């Protein structure tokens, strides 16, 4: 018999859930939920309205509710939690992994977080209080306390006993970390070795001492880069004294990768980091309006610049026809170069060691593309305005515009990286607006000089 | 003693390698390489010139060379392989995992691939020929043949014996997959269960039959989404008859996620998918020039549009000053909406089930942002041109421009998704150029009507 696995949800399922809730048919609803995985129920929940969501959560056992809650997108999760009572939240938190529990408590208003911590068992609240101080975007903010550590001088059998004891609590256990008498990380043992080695063997004889770890305060992007670079499934976290304090698993790393990409793409798009699943128009508007208004003032500045060349424009009004193409060429070239540089820096494909070489390549590309586009536009403008002189001037301007925009596009992110500023800022509307203005200045400047020379 | 782990490379190391190579100091070079992980050596190799790269590869044992080669960026990898002789490549391929071996052979020119396959042992060449037919961006193209399968009616001890036998060949083994007498996938057993359960227990009694799998022809993006959704470390691949044929591991999934992001970002930036580490200016130019030229003709079209309104512009030349701000507002609004939609669809945060709701939210956002920006620009233009009538007309135009650009920005990716076309196309220069033209048309259209009415 082939296994029937439910993977993902569909429209029919959303309708079914809605109608079960409408009819208060708890029995069918629970049966349906039980057959689904937590991530799929979370998806269903996101398609319900608040009242339906609370009806459903009321039916769930705390453990199931917790598994589902952590899979729900932040904006929806927040609204559900704000409507659940403290008792329900406390019950859910008890069932969560320490990192998820700390994240959930950390997102609550301070008052409410305190109330809930006070009612939790000591064991759970201690874990949460251990994790809460770490900034969300550091190794400490990502790590959980569920891991298995064995002493270097213990045996394979000792290790198996510890695994047995912890197997309920620690999910996704694939490696055991080895510590010395002071709790300091000294090696790693793979679970497969516990299967294959004889029970009497000493852990220190079979462990790999070349364990890759991360310090508790390291930025999450660096943690993700280590995990990607060395193809890890989990990474141990150590404190200042090299003592093992936590574990970060591969699924958290995938979340970090996506989060970092979201941040970069938000900057590219000129959006202050917006939850993709955000449903409130006011919040979305607030994420986008600042950049639009910044762009508006940039555009007004461009208007002032053009104003300086009014005399030339009055002579040949057709010069204004080419504003869009001039700005588009500068803008597109700049965006191409800056985006490739930002992405390359983020993935590590471009690194700080070969910035000079990279810039040189980008300059050659910009020069070559400038020549091609310049000749094309020069020909068109020359024919249109029946002035080959003007055509040549426009061609020459465009070569310069493409060259300079390409250079700026590549140089700004590389320079920001050197200065330890997020290079993705270079792809945002500020640089794009400056590119617009520089392009207009070059175009209008050269044309004006030409018109003065021929008159 | 705290473990000393080398993590990443630095400028000093690059200089050292270069000087060892220059002095032909193989001994120091090998010692340095031996202390590093493959990913770090790969990074070093990327900073060498071709001659230095070949000198280094000549020193390496085939196994080490293979581990390093697969970590090297595609453009550099290709140039090294083209300069290695068939014997060296054959030796390296023997040591690679099946998926990496098939990728490497697949990238060779057909003639050379055939020569190499012919000289390989049957076992290795059969594996490669099994994998070669699958498209690179499908589950089959990602999977390796290194996995452990056990029969449902076997015992834990049988499974341990199989693990022992395969432990050399299969790296990163965390789960065993369970098959029936026809080789069909029926369940999964975690390695931890082999550690904890008694050797006589039947596998079918402890396996989880709810195993998540993927069909061999599924697109890699869907595979990645399954792995992300259910937090998997590896996923079994089955053929049309549900027979287990391969395994995809988490590190390959991270590569897929990054590749899909690169593709989307390339489209956003108007770059035909360019390797971030590409070093050839000609190739980079070829990736970027088509979009620049498309943008150029879009801009020429905009010039024709503006030309139609020459009479209005001659009346008030200052109207041309606002071209940049008008186009920037339309462009920025469109980019914001389309980027958020494209990214949301890619991560699954926006799904096909709530497109209507999403569009409605986007329309409210665009309308609100349009009002704010419209009032601002209207005031500025009104004061600048000393015509409140013109200010009101510009304000009204901008409300429409922002509303329409926002709507198009959100609607096009959602519509493309419905049509099963890559939504990321919506963020490229084509849509941006259309937005420019629509914005200019609205602005010039309204202003022209107004000027006719007041004259």
């Amino acid at each position: 018999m082939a296994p029937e696995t439910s993977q993902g949800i569909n429209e029919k399922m959303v309708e079914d859930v809605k109608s079960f809730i409408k009819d208060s048919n708890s029995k069918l609803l629970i049966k349906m939920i039980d057959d689904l995985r937590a991530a799929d129920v979370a998806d269903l929940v996101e398609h319900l309205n608040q009242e339906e969501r609370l009806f459903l959560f009321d039916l769930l056992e705390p453990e199931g509710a917790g598994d589902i809650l952590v899979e729900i997108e932040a904006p929806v999760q927040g609204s559900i939690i704000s409507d659940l009572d403290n008792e329900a939240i406390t019950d859910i938190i008890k069932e969560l992994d320490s990192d998820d529990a700390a994240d959930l408590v950390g997102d609550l208003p301070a008052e409410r977080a305190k109330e809930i911590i006070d009612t939790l068992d000591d064991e759970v609240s201690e874990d949460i209080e251990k994790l809460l101080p770490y900034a969300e975007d550091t190794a400490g903010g990502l790590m959980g306390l569920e891991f298995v550590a064995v002493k270097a001088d213990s045996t394979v059998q000792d290790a198996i006993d510890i695994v047995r004891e912890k197997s309920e609590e620690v999910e996704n256990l694939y490696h055991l970390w080895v510590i010395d008498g002071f709790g300091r990380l000294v090696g790693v043992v793979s679970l497969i070795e516990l299967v294959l080695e004889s029970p009497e063997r000493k852990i220190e004889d079979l462990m790999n001492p070349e364990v890759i770890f991360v310090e508790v305060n390291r930025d999450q992007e660096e943690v993700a880069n280590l995990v990607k670079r060395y193809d890890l499934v989990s990474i141990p976290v150590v404190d200042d004294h090299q003592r093992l304090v936590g574990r970060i698993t591969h699924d958290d790393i995938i979340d970090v990768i996506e989060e970092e990409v979201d941040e970069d793409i938000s900057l590219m798009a000129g959006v202050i980091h917006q939850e993709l699943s955000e449903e409130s128009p006011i919040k979305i508007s607030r994420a986008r309006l600042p950049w639009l208004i910044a762009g508006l003032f940039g555009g007004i500045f461009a208007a002032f610049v053009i104003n300086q060349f009014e005399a030339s424009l009055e002579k040949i009004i057709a010069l204004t026809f080419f504003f869009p193409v001039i700005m588009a060429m500068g803008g597109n070239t700049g965006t191409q170069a800056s985006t490739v540089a930002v992405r390359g820096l983020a993935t590590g494909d471009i690194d700080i060691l070969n910035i000079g070489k990279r810039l040189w390549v980008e300059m050659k590309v910009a020069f070559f593309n400038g020549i091609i586009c310049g000749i094309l536009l020069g020909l068109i403008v020359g024919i249109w305005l029946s002035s080959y002189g003007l055509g040549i001037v426009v061609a020459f301007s465009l070569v310069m515009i493409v060259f300079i925009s390409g250079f700026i596009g590549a140089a700004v992110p590389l320079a920001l990286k050197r200065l330890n500023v997020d290079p993705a800022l270079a792809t945002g509307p500020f640089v794009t607006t400056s590119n617009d203005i520089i392009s207009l200045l070059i175009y209008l400047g050269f044309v004006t000089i030409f018109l003065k020379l021929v008159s």
Side-chain angles (χ1 to χ4, degrees), chain A:
Chain A
M1 178 215 65
E4 232 2 279
T5 318
S6 73
Q7 298 180 349
I9 64 163
N10 57 44
E11 206 151 350
K12 168 96 176 44
M13 290 161 77
V14 177
E15 279 163 22
D16 283 352
V17 169
K18 280 178 174 279
S19 89
F20 294 154
I21 293 175
K22 198 169 153 235
D23 306 341
S24 299
N25 193 336
S26 312
K27 218 170 131 189
L28 275 180
L29 188 57
I30 289 174
K31 192 182 165 322
M32 177 169 178
I33 300 297
D34 279 349
D35 286 346
L36 293 174
R37 294 170 196 275
D40 295 325
V41 180
D43 243 25
L44 280 177
V45 169
E46 287 165 17
H47 288 88
L48 304 178
N49 64 37
Q50 181 71 356
E51 212 178 315
E52 293 166 335
R53 288 168 183 165
L54 293 173
F55 181 92
L56 194 151
F57 264 84
D58 217 37
L59 291 179
L60 298 170
E61 296 292 321
E63 186 175 354
D67 289 345
I68 293 163
L69 201 61
V70 297
E71 298 283 344
I72 294 177
E73 291 302 320
V76 177
Q77 194 193 75
S79 77
I80 293 172
I81 289 173
S82 69
D83 278 352
L84 289 177
D85 59 32
N86 281 1
E87 203 192 322
I89 294 184
T90 310
D91 287 344
I92 287 174
I93 285 175
K94 278 185 212 156
E95 302 294 334
L96 291 178
D97 281 346
S98 55
D99 50 341
D100 293 326
D103 287 346
L104 200 153
V105 173
D107 287 343
L108 292 172
E111 182 92 358
R112 206 166 169 208
K114 205 187 158 309
E115 281 168 31
I116 285 172
I117 289 179
D118 287 346
T119 53
L120 282 166
D121 306 339
D122 282 354
E123 202 189 330
V124 180
S125 63
E126 270 167 28
D127 278 1
I128 292 176
E129 283 174 331
K130 220 182 271 177
L131 292 174
L132 272 183
Y134 295 110
E136 236 181 292
D137 57 353
T138 63
L142 291 173
M143 73 183 184
L145 303 173
E146 291 79 11
F147 58 84
V148 175
V150 292
K151 290 262 175 68
D153 57 6
S154 58
T155 63
V156 167
Q157 186 57 51
D158 296 335
I160 291 176
D161 293 340
I162 297 178
V163 168
R164 190 179 311 276
E165 197 182 299
K166 292 250 194 171
S167 66
E168 275 280 296
E169 178 199 336
V170 184
E171 281 175 63
N172 301 315
L173 179 66
Y174 309 117
H175 297 100
L176 283 69
W177 288 315
V178 187
I179 52 175
D180 65 12
F182 301 97
R184 291 179 300 202
L185 180 69
V186 292
V188 59
V189 168
S190 174
L191 206 51
I192 199 169
E193 293 170 279
L194 301 194
V195 175
L196 300 181
E197 296 291 343
S198 76
E200 313 77 61
R201 274 203 77 178
K202 277 277 174 67
I203 291 294
E204 57 199 344
D205 295 335
L206 51 92
M207 74 180 189
N208 177 0
E210 295 265 306
V211 52
I212 296 168
F213 60 88
V214 70
E215 298 83 18
V216 75
N217 289 315
R218 278 280 276 276
D219 183 83
Q220 64 173 6
E221 190 166 14
E222 291 175 56
V223 181
N225 283 339
L226 275 180
V227 169
K228 279 192 286 186
R229 188 180 184 84
Y230 303 115
D231 295 341
L232 310 175
V233 277
S234 61
I235 189 165
V237 183
V238 301
D239 68 9
D240 291 346
H241 304 286
Q242 194 68 26
R243 283 179 304 219
L244 180 62
V245 292
R247 176 181 79 151
I248 300 172
T249 52
H250 66 104
D251 47 317
D252 291 323
I253 293 301
I254 289 186
D255 291 343
V256 170
I257 293 173
E258 301 243 297
E259 207 181 292
E260 298 285 336
V261 169
D262 283 347
E263 270 179 39
D264 285 356
I265 289 189
S266 292
L267 283 172
M268 282 178 65
V271 176
I272 291 169
H273 191 46
Q274 179 210 317
E275 294 288 346
L276 295 167
S277 53
E278 181 57 64
E279 293 173 345
S280 147
I282 305 284
K283 284 192 188 160
I284 297 178
S285 199
R286 213 186 292 155
R288 298 187 193 173
L289 205 45
W291 296 85
L292 287 181
I293 291 176
L296 194 143
F297 283 101
I300 295 297
F301 186 72
F304 277 110
V305 169
I306 299 172
N307 193 9
Q308 308 311 310
F309 298 93
E310 197 173 353
S312 309
L313 301 180
E314 275 178 344
K315 223 175 278 172
I316 310 178
I317 189 106
L319 289 176
T320 67
F321 301 172
F322 304 107
F323 287 174
V325 72
I326 291 293
M327 289 191 298
M329 298 312 290
N332 291 348
T333 307
T335 305
Q336 288 179 335
S338 62
T339 307
V340 170
V342 165
R343 182 72 191 138
L345 287 168
T347 59
D349 286 326
I350 300 175
D351 66 37
I352 211 84
L353 301 186
N354 50 11
I355 281 183
K357 194 172 160 196
R358 182 82 205 174
L359 256 183
W360 181 235
V361 170
E362 285 288 345
M363 281 163 72
K364 284 193 267 191
V365 171
F367 185 69
F368 178 74
N369 287 353
I371 298 273
I372 304 276
C373 295
I375 291 174
L376 256 172
L377 187 67
L379 275 172
I380 295 171
V381 171
I383 294 168
W384 188 330
L385 304 187
S386 313
S387 157
Y388 290 99
L390 219 44
I392 291 168
V393 172
V394 169
F396 185 69
S397 315
L398 198 60
V399 175
M400 277 206 59
I401 288 167
V402 170
F403 182 75
I404 291 176
S405 309
F407 177 76
I408 292 178
V412 173
L414 297 175
L416 291 178
K417 179 74 182 182
R418 274 252 151 167
L419 300 170
N420 268 322
V421 178
D422 186 351
L425 275 175
T427 53
F430 287 116
V431 176
T432 317
T433 306
S434 332
N435 261 346
D436 280 358
I437 292 169
I438 292 171
S439 303
L440 283 171
L441 262 177
I442 293 174
Y443 168 67
L444 290 170
F446 277 111
V447 168
T448 301
I449 292 169
F450 172 76
L451 291 178
K452 283 204 177 129
L453 288 178
V454 296
S455 69

